[in-house]
Amino acid sequence: MAEQAHRVVASYKPSKFDKKILLWTGRFKTEEEIPLRIPPEMLDKARNKARVKACYIMIGLSIIACFAVIASAKKAAARHESLMSLNLAKKAKWRKEAALAAEAKTK
C-alpha cells in the first residue's frame, strides 16, 4: 500500500527553450504537438541528445578551423612570412618611432 502511494508520476511544464530542445532533437515535429506537461525523463533524454549534437557540431567546426589555419599558414609560408619576421619588423618600427620622439624632445 505505502509503495503505491509513492508512485506519483511527476510532470514538468516545459519552457520555450525546453520546447526548442524537444523540437531540435526530433522528439516532436511541431510545437503544437508538445503537451502542456511532460515527464522529466523525456526532457532529460532530449537535453542529453541536444548536448551530443552540440558537441558534434563543435567538433566539426574545430576540424574546419584547423584546416583553415593550415591553409592560411601555407599561404603565409609561400609569402615568406613568419612570426619572427613580423615581430622584428614591429620592433624596428617602434625603435624608429622612439628615436623620432626622442629627437623631437631634444629640439
Side-chain angles (χ1 to χ4, degrees):
M1 245 314 159
E3 192 176 311
Q4 288 180 351
H6 293 290
R7 287 191 176 179
V8 176
V9 177
S11 62
Y12 176 80
K13 183 178 179 184
S15 66
K16 288 185 178 185
F17 184 71
D18 293 334
K19 288 180 181 182
K20 287 182 183 182
I21 289 176
L22 290 167
L23 292 173
W24 190 51
T25 56
R27 183 69 177 108
F28 296 99
K29 300 293 179 197
T30 62
E31 198 167 321
E32 291 78 32
E33 290 180 12
I34 300 173
L36 293 175
R37 300 230 173 241
I38 59 170
E41 295 82 20
M42 179 188 294
L43 188 59
D44 286 341
K45 287 180 185 179
R47 284 180 179 166
N48 288 335
K49 197 172 181 179
R51 233 178 257 120
V52 170
K53 277 186 169 185
C55 287
Y56 283 148
I57 290 170
M58 288 190 297
I59 288 169
L61 292 175
S62 297
I63 290 170
I64 291 169
C66 288
F67 284 117
V69 168
I70 290 169
S72 172
K74 285 186 178 184
K75 286 180 183 178
R79 291 187 307 258
H80 301 294
E81 289 181 0
S82 67
L83 286 177
M84 184 182 283
S85 66
L86 293 174
N87 284 336
L88 289 174
K90 189 188 311 178
K91 287 179 183 178
K93 179 183 171 191
W94 289 347
R95 283 190 198 104
K96 186 178 179 181
E97 288 173 357
L100 289 173
E103 187 180 307
K105 275 188 177 180
T106 57
K107 287 185 179 181

